[in-house]
Amino acid sequence: YHSQNDAGHAVEMLLCGDSLPGFFAAGTTVVIDGWTFFVVSEVDATDSKSNLVEIKSSRTERILKTPSAVLQVALNGSEHILGCKLDDDETRLLSAKWFSAEEIQQAHQQSFTQAGQHVRYMLRKVRDFLKQ
């Protein structure tokens, strides 16, 4: 769980509004070391071709390059990331830039490898604990 009182949610409200109750989600099945997981994530928006779009907001483009952001986009199936910058009051959109999710993922293959190794290690710990 995370707070919805941040720049990321502010830009989503500015661009998408809050006209519909609840949220839309995408589901993905992931297999890691023989374990199958169903991952559900919120869908921020879609483009004119109905492709999923992840909306990110930050004072810099660094948020687009964090391992957690790259993993999130890989799991939720977004085609694009819309990187946005808001004013200090988070009431006006100052700039927006489209990024290819595929290009960002390819540029961060090393972080996927490291995350995968960490997950495999932790899954073995969970499996050993459950066997007790």
Side-chain angles (χ1 to χ4, degrees):
Y1 175 81
H2 52 84
S3 168
Q4 295 203 1
N5 188 21
D6 60 24
H9 288 92
V11 76
E12 289 174 22
M13 289 296 295
L14 279 173
L15 297 178
C16 303
D18 193 23
S19 61
L20 297 174
F23 68 94
F24 294 94
T28 306
T29 302
V30 179
V31 179
I32 302 170
D33 203 28
W35 290 55
T36 303
F37 299 90
F38 186 66
V39 180
V40 177
S41 57
E42 182 179 12
V43 173
D44 291 338
T46 57
D47 64 15
S48 61
K49 297 178 183 175
S50 297
N51 295 313
L52 299 181
V53 176
E54 182 67 27
I55 301 173
K56 294 290 184 189
S57 179
S58 176
R59 297 195 189 282
T60 68
E61 292 179 7
R62 185 178 119 358
I63 193 162
L64 301 174
K65 299 172 183 173
T66 62
S68 61
V70 175
L71 183 60
Q72 177 188 15
V73 170
L75 290 175
N76 74 13
S78 293
E79 292 285 326
H80 305 284
I81 301 168
L82 181 61
C84 301
K85 183 177 180 182
L86 299 178
D87 65 355
D88 289 339
D89 295 330
E90 297 179 349
T91 57
R92 289 186 318 128
L93 180 65
L94 299 177
S95 65
K97 184 176 178 181
W98 285 97
F99 297 90
S100 162
E102 183 179 351
E103 287 175 12
I104 288 178
Q105 290 170 22
Q106 288 175 352
H108 293 87
Q109 284 297 317
Q110 183 64 31
S111 67
F112 282 131
T113 301
Q114 291 169 346
Q117 291 170 344
H118 182 73
V119 168
R120 290 181 81 183
Y121 172 77
M122 294 307 294
L123 280 174
R124 288 185 190 122
K125 293 290 188 188
V126 169
R127 184 174 30 211
D128 291 346
F129 176 78
L130 293 174
K131 287 181 181 179
Q132 296 178 354

